[in-house]
Amino acid sequence: MAFLVSPGVQVKEVDLTNVVPAVATSIGAIAGAFQKGPVSSVTTITSEEDLIKNFGKPNDSNFETFFSAANFLQYTNSLRVVRAESGVVNAVASGTAILIRDTDHYQGSFAAGEASVGEWAARSAGTWGNSIGVSICATATAYEEMLTSSNQTVGEDAVGSTSIAVDNIDLADDEIHVGDIISFFTDSAGTTPVTGEDGKQYEVTAIDTSTNVATIKRLDDPNGGGVHNVIPDNSFIKRRWRFYDRFDGAPGTSAWATQNGRGSGDEIHVVVYDTTGDITGFDVDSNGNRQNAIIETFANMSKNPNAKTAQGNTNYYPNVIYNQSENIFWMDHNSGGSNWGTDTTSAYTAVDTPTATNLASGTDDYAVTAGEIESAYDKFSDTESIDINLVIGGPSSIVADTSSGQDTHVTMITDLVEKRKDCVAFVSPHRGATVNVANDTTQTENVKTAFDLCPSSSYVVFDSGYKYMYDKYNDEFRFVPLNGDIAGLCANTDRVADSFFSPAGFNRGNIRGAIKLSYNPNQAQRDILYRARINPVVNFPGQGVVLFGDKTALTKPSAFDRINVRRLFLLLEKAIATAAKFQLFEFNDEFTRAQFRNLVEPFLRDIQGRRGISDFRVIADASNNTGEVIDRNEFVADIFVKPARSINFITLSFIATRTGVAFTEVGGA
């Protein structure tokens, strides 16, 4: 400390308010195959709606993984998800499709236009991206154009006609494009509509360059239909970009470019839309669905890489797409925009034809291998950067629907939680063990045999099967693994009680959304399962589906063979270890040791008051911090606790006595 060498006042602060912090105990984690979403990176999900938004809907190939995650989110609101990297690739505009795992991968490998896949790629891998269309409007001419007298209508078109003949449908600088919105006028300035056609517009659905005929339909009319009125010969045509009415006006020169003396014509509009109806439910080409099929719009972006908005944010269109789009990545400039992406004082190259690009070649691969699913779960292995508490195994048949396939999956997850030692994993038997197996004796044998192959661990919890639930996304009923629900019960127990309470039983163990079970063990079968470390899930008439056991997968008789004790120690270890970090690099003397005891003991008294432990003792003194320990720059604290135990067995004795007998004579008190 500094010393005063002349009279004065020195002020200093000493912070002795350290406490053992609260730590998370309800964060879930799952990995598997999904319809879309980032690949091989951890994403935080807070709700089922969020899960759909980021990873897509369930299908026949991945519903077990999806609903394991979704069922967990019925009980809590924090889940980490990793999409396994299998044979998936992103849909692209052209060329050979590639895999863009996530935004980090994009920024490191593709953000400068390194890939030769055209202008756009889907934001994540999968066939879902094959439903994306992207349209660019880069100039005022592309936005709106009055065609000249060189391209007027040819012949009179009757009411209801859907075929319009013109002079030269692909005349340079005067052409009509598929998707254009057209209207008819009597004058070249486009001020006087054809009789009865004021406000009437039509969408071009096809063009025939050999006959110069455009096929049209009424704009945004669910019934389609042709022209409302007779279109006279030599009527003038105004064409507009397909999505012009979703913008305030045509792209031009941005205020930033004008103020900074940069090139004119730098603005660009972009629309992302659904070409099949698989994303929005509306196909852009179906009658009346043009507006409904629009997914995203981006107005008045700039082709200049240094462009800014009025608020000072980047307005360069690849950056805006990266920052704001949920569906696409920019991959390259339009081939006609020779100076797009440069900071120039010259006019930007005009691309006067609106472009419409349908992405293609995206692929799915739900048949993940053992190595691929293990690599996905390995993304959770770093305890310092990723905080998780409840690992959801999902389908144990994800590799193979056999006992050995289950053993491979469960062993992999056991290795993960044993390595981390700060979380608990939940696994179910493989699907074929109980689903569509008619004999419950066979089901019992299948479940026991499969779990007998799995390793012993107090960090893993086994359950007995699958629940039958309604899939609202596909309007059918499905059997899904129970492990997402069991993990959810632990999270719900944290909310309504504490993590050191048992999640089982009629008070806290009710499974949500279960219509029935694939396997409903009776008392004798539950005895077999419980001795084999398997927690039965039972459908009790009038009381619902209930988790009826709270064992861990530990074979050795121990306090740690119960879920509540294992989770109690995870809470204590995590919280106290977090607080103990602040003792690093302090002196190992009695002051520091007393400070540590004063930190930990109030925390343990609080846990004791909340019924988690019955007694405790903290030893951090000269008896375990000897001179040798101090000389090794170590600090040792021994924390003894007596954990509270959950009731698994109740004995009620009813004793009848004669009328004249005193209860003290037979009751011992």
Side-chain angles (χ1 to χ4, degrees), residues 22 89 147 165 217 266 370 381 391 439 492 494 508 511 542 597 651-652:
V89 292
L147 303 188
K217 64 180 180 181
D266 68 313
S381 61
V391 178
N439 189 303
N492 186 61
D494 297 350
R508 293 177 294 275
I511 303 292
R597 293 193 301 271
T651 300
L652 302 176

Side-chain angles (χ1 to χ4, degrees), residues 51 59 139 169 175 276 283 298 323 347 424 432 496 580:
L51 182 66
N59 55 45
T139 65
I169 203 163
E175 65 265 38
T276 65
D283 178 350
F298 303 94
N323 291 332
V424 179
V496 301

Side-chain angles (χ1 to χ4, degrees), residues 11-158:
V11 178
K12 64 178 182 178
E13 288 183 355
V14 178
D15 186 0
L16 298 178
T17 63
N18 293 346
V19 295
V20 175
V23 292
T25 57
S26 306
I27 302 173
I30 189 171
F34 291 91
Q35 181 188 42
K36 65 176 186 176
V39 173
S40 292
S41 62
V42 180
T43 303
T44 298
I45 299 298
T46 60
S47 65
E48 186 171 338
E49 181 182 359
D50 200 17
L51 182 66
I52 291 287
K53 177 181 176 182
N54 285 276
F55 290 96
K57 296 179 180 180
N59 55 45
D60 290 342
S61 299
N62 76 339
F63 68 89
E64 291 189 35
T65 299
F66 176 89
F67 282 112
S68 294
N71 288 340
F72 176 78
L73 290 167
Q74 291 184 84
Y75 303 88
T76 187
N77 60 2
S78 184
L79 177 65
R80 309 283 191 262
V81 179
V82 172
R83 183 185 181 191
E85 182 174 340
S86 52
V88 295
V89 292
N90 297 55
V92 295
S94 63
T96 303
I98 57 175
L99 172 62
I100 307 173
R101 295 183 184 89
D102 54 21
T103 53
D104 289 340
H105 188 203
Y106 171 78
Q107 288 285 41
S109 301
F110 305 108
E114 293 92 334
S116 300
V117 293
E119 297 168 73
W120 311 103
R123 193 82 176 191
S124 64
T127 57
W128 77 277
N130 298 337
S131 296
I132 292 177
V134 185
S135 183
I136 293 176
C137 179
T139 65
T141 299
Y143 181 84
E144 181 179 70
E145 181 182 12
M146 193 70 198
L147 303 188
T148 68
S149 58
S150 298
N151 210 0
Q152 295 175 265
T153 61
V154 175
E156 182 178 276
D157 296 295

Side-chain angles (χ1 to χ4, degrees), residues 290-309:
R290 178 184 66 101
Q291 296 274 15
N292 295 328
I294 294 174
I295 303 171
E296 299 173 318
T297 61
F298 303 94
N300 302 106
M301 299 178 292
S302 177
K303 301 158 192 165
N304 190 305
N306 298 324
K308 304 291 183 184
T309 65

Side-chain angles (χ1 to χ4, degrees), residues 389-393 413-414 417 423-427 459-462:
N389 313 110
L390 308 167
V391 178
I392 302 164
I413 290 180
T414 303
V417 293
C423 54
V424 179
F426 300 82
V427 292
Y459 294 93
V460 181
V461 175
F462 300 155

Side-chain angles (χ1 to χ4, degrees), residues 77-264:
N77 60 2
S78 184
L79 177 65
R80 309 283 191 262
V81 179
V82 172
R83 183 185 181 191
E85 182 174 340
S86 52
V88 295
V89 292
N90 297 55
V92 295
S94 63
T96 303
I98 57 175
L99 172 62
I100 307 173
R101 295 183 184 89
D102 54 21
T103 53
D104 289 340
H105 188 203
Y106 171 78
Q107 288 285 41
S109 301
F110 305 108
E114 293 92 334
S116 300
V117 293
E119 297 168 73
W120 311 103
R123 193 82 176 191
S124 64
T127 57
W128 77 277
N130 298 337
S131 296
I132 292 177
V134 185
S135 183
I136 293 176
C137 179
T139 65
T141 299
Y143 181 84
E144 181 179 70
E145 181 182 12
M146 193 70 198
L147 303 188
T148 68
S149 58
S150 298
N151 210 0
Q152 295 175 265
T153 61
V154 175
E156 182 178 276
D157 296 295
V159 173
S161 175
T162 58
S163 297
I164 305 295
V166 297
D167 293 316
N168 189 347
I169 203 163
D170 58 346
L171 180 66
D173 299 326
D174 239 9
E175 65 265 38
I176 296 174
H177 321 99
V178 173
D180 277 352
I181 296 171
I182 62 174
S183 48
F184 303 101
F185 296 85
T186 60
D187 63 315
S188 61
T191 58
T192 306
V194 165
T195 302
E197 287 294 301
D198 189 14
K200 304 295 191 295
Q201 298 182 97
Y202 307 91
E203 183 177 349
V204 177
T205 60
I207 60 172
D208 188 332
T209 57
S210 62
T211 60
N212 291 315
V213 171
T215 303
I216 65 166
K217 64 180 180 181
R218 294 179 183 179
L219 182 65
D220 297 337
D221 189 325
N223 299 313
V227 293
H228 292 82
N229 303 279
V230 173
I231 306 300
D233 182 28
N234 285 330
S235 293
F236 288 91
I237 301 172
K238 176 182 282 188
R239 57 146 298 276
R240 293 185 173 99
W241 178 40
R242 188 178 200 176
F243 303 106
Y244 86 97
D245 51 347
R246 293 299 296 265
F247 297 83
D248 293 336
T253 302
S254 67
W256 178 88
T258 301
Q259 293 165 4
N260 291 275
R262 313 320 291 164
S264 60

Side-chain angles (χ1 to χ4, degrees), residues 264-406:
S264 60
D266 68 313
E267 288 189 332
I268 182 173
H269 297 334
V270 173
V271 171
V272 182
Y273 54 92
D274 188 348
T275 63
T276 65
D278 290 339
I279 298 175
T280 62
F282 301 98
D283 178 350
V284 72
D285 293 322
S286 296
N287 294 340
N289 284 342
R290 178 184 66 101
Q291 296 274 15
N292 295 328
I294 294 174
I295 303 171
E296 299 173 318
T297 61
F298 303 94
N300 302 106
M301 299 178 292
S302 177
K303 301 158 192 165
N304 190 305
N306 298 324
K308 304 291 183 184
T309 65
Q311 293 74 33
N313 299 319
T314 179
N315 198 35
Y316 181 41
Y317 81 100
N319 293 344
V320 174
I321 295 295
Y322 173 79
N323 291 332
Q324 298 182 19
S325 177
E326 296 179 356
N327 295 275
I328 60 171
F329 283 126
W330 171 90
M331 302 301 290
D332 203 354
H333 298 296
N334 184 285
S335 57
S338 58
N339 64 349
W340 293 13
T342 64
D343 182 17
T344 181
T345 57
S346 303
Y348 282 93
T349 307
V351 178
D352 290 332
T353 300
T355 64
T357 304
N358 292 348
L359 304 189
S361 302
T363 61
D364 296 324
D365 181 12
Y366 296 105
V368 294
T369 66
E372 289 166 348
I373 195 67
E374 182 172 358
S375 295
Y377 273 101
D378 280 347
K379 299 298 179 181
F380 298 120
S381 61
D382 186 355
T383 57
E384 292 188 348
S385 62
I386 299 174
D387 188 11
I388 58 174
N389 313 110
L390 308 167
V391 178
I392 302 164
S396 291
S397 51
I398 193 167
V399 175
D401 192 8
T402 62
S403 294
S404 60
Q406 173 183 323

